[in-house]
């Protein structure tokens, strides 16, 4: 019988996750060692499964969409992948769809455990199957997708941190305001970045509680604040008047102030 629900690969140790959920939980528990016994029990009840969610509003990718995947199984005739933006839902690519050349063994073109960019050619929501291809994927499309995916990863991390601090499910935050940020701005990343300078402009366009605002802003400042940059340069300073070196010294001291 065909499965009735999407196949999620939560049991696989994907390189993309890289233990991020564990790090979030462990770090927060270190910061709250002074909590009461009751609070500690609540923390134990909140686990990684509550921090699992897709990046975007659509549960399934669209046909012809370019997606980011991680290779989890490679056989001679096909490979199985996890779609990183869609909560690691499973997809398959046949050997004939890996390249325009004749392929005898797909292992020569796809390596286990690596990330790749593939195009969706078939989506069967009833049977829960996704077929992928690499034959028509172009380098400019990959570069554009990489930029978009990198922004989405930052947004996802901030949303995860906020969900854990509030002890709520990640999907609840996305349903409340996260996916609205994607709809109302060019990218949710742009909205979060704007929160550094004008948060009320962003918050006026979404439904968000005061508690969510507080935690979201704290995590935005933690993960997106610009780091100070130090510049160093070598230059020659000359003075041809009578004051000479004294004028140069006074000028440098004045600049230092």
């Amino acid at each position: 019988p065909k499965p009735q629900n999407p196949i999620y690969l939560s049991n696989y140790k994907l390189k993309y996750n890289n233990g991020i959920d564990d790090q979030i939980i462990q770090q927060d528990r270190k910061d709250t060692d002074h909590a009461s016994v009751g609070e500690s029990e609540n923390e134990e009840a909140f686990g990684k499964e509550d921090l699992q969610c897709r990046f975007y509003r659509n549960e399934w990718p669209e046909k012809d969409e370019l997606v980011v995947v991680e290779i989890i199984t490679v056989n001679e005739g096909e490979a199985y992948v996890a779609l990183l933006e869609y909560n690691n839902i499973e997809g398959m690519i046949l050997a004939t769809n890996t390249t325009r050349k004749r392929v005898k063994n797909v292992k020569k073109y796809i390596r286990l455990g690596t990330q790749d960019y593939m195009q969706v050619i078939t989506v069967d929501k009833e049977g829960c199957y996704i077929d992928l291809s690499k034959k028509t994927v172009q380098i400019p499309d990959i570069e554009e997708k990489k930029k978009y995916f990198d922004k989405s990863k930052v947004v996802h991390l901030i949303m995860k941190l906020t969900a854990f601090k509030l002890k709520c499910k990640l999907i609840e935050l996305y349903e409340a305001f996260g996916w609205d940020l994607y709809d109302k701005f060019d990218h949710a990343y742009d909205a979060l970045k704007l929160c550094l300078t004008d948060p009320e402009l962003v918050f006026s366009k979404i439904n968000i509680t005061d508690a969510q605002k507080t935690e979201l802003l704290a995590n935005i400042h933690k993960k997106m604040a610009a780091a100070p940059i130090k510049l160093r340069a070598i230059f020659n300073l000359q003075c041809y008047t009578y004051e000479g070196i004294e004028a140069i010294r006074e000028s440098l001291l004045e600049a230092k102030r």
Side-chain angles (χ1 to χ4, degrees):
K2 293 183 178 180
Q4 299 300 317
N5 298 312
I7 302 173
Y8 295 102
L9 305 172
S10 57
N11 293 330
Y12 287 91
K13 186 178 181 182
L14 301 176
K15 282 188 177 181
Y16 161 69
N17 288 333
N18 199 23
I20 290 177
D21 297 341
D22 289 329
Q23 293 174 14
I24 292 174
I25 295 173
Q26 292 173 5
Q27 183 61 44
D28 187 80
R29 286 174 180 167
K30 287 180 181 178
D31 296 338
T32 55
D33 285 340
H34 60 280
S36 64
V37 175
E39 291 173 340
S40 298
E41 291 176 353
N42 290 334
E43 287 179 357
E44 291 295 335
F46 189 86
K48 291 190 296 182
E49 63 278 1
D50 297 308
L51 298 177
Q52 300 299 318
C53 180
R54 59 191 183 275
F55 284 15
Y56 315 123
R57 190 185 300 275
N58 293 336
E59 186 176 359
W60 296 84
E62 299 292 335
K63 183 180 178 181
D64 298 328
E65 180 181 344
L66 193 64
V67 294
V68 185
V69 304
E70 183 171 322
I71 316 300
I72 56 172
T73 304
V74 181
N75 302 319
E76 290 187 2
E78 75 283 332
Y80 292 91
V81 304
L83 279 66
L84 301 182
E85 300 160 287
Y86 292 91
N87 200 19
N88 302 326
I89 193 172
E90 185 184 64
M92 183 187 71
I93 180 170
L94 295 173
T96 54
N97 289 326
T98 57
T99 178
R100 295 182 184 273
K101 300 178 183 179
R102 186 175 180 180
V103 180
K104 293 183 178 180
N105 192 338
V106 72
K107 293 182 179 180
K108 294 182 179 180
Y109 298 92
I110 297 178
R111 294 184 178 180
L112 182 67
T114 60
Q115 286 189 14
D116 208 339
Y117 298 83
M118 298 182 182
Q119 187 176 31
V120 178
I121 57 175
T122 304
V123 178
D124 184 355
K125 297 181 181 179
E126 293 182 359
C128 302
Y129 299 114
I130 300 175
D131 292 328
L132 304 164
S133 173
K134 289 183 60 178
K135 290 196 297 186
T136 59
V137 178
Q138 303 295 321
I139 293 179
D141 297 331
I142 292 176
E143 293 175 348
E144 183 178 353
K145 180 62 180 182
K146 184 179 185 303
K147 292 178 181 178
Y148 193 91
F149 179 64
D150 288 343
K151 287 184 177 181
S152 299
K153 284 196 298 183
V154 175
V155 173
H156 201 61
L157 175 59
I158 291 174
M159 294 292 286
K160 275 188 175 184
L161 290 169
T162 305
F164 185 78
K165 289 290 186 179
L166 294 172
K167 296 296 180 289
C168 67
K169 293 184 177 181
L170 178 58
I171 193 171
E172 294 176 358
L173 290 187
Y174 268 113
E175 290 174 342
F177 61 86
W179 289 324
D180 290 337
L181 294 176
Y182 280 96
D183 297 336
K184 298 180 182 298
F185 295 86
D186 292 337
H187 194 290
Y189 179 91
D190 301 326
L192 298 186
K193 194 170 183 180
L194 184 59
C195 287
L196 293 171
T197 56
D198 193 356
E200 291 305 320
L201 178 61
V202 177
F203 295 150
S204 63
K205 297 183 179 182
I206 57 177
N207 295 321
I208 185 171
T209 66
D210 292 338
Q212 291 170 345
K213 285 181 184 180
T214 302
E215 291 298 339
L216 182 64
L217 283 175
N219 292 316
I220 290 173
H221 283 280
K222 184 186 300 183
K223 297 299 180 182
M224 300 185 71
I229 300 176
K230 293 184 179 180
L231 300 177
R232 178 179 294 181
I234 299 175
F235 62 93
N236 293 323
L237 187 60
Q238 298 177 349
C239 179
Y240 296 100
T241 62
Y242 179 79
E243 290 80 6
I245 188 64
E246 293 297 330
I248 293 175
R249 184 175 65 179
E250 291 179 2
S251 298
L252 293 176
L253 290 174
E254 183 65 24
K256 186 177 180 180
R257 299 192 189 99

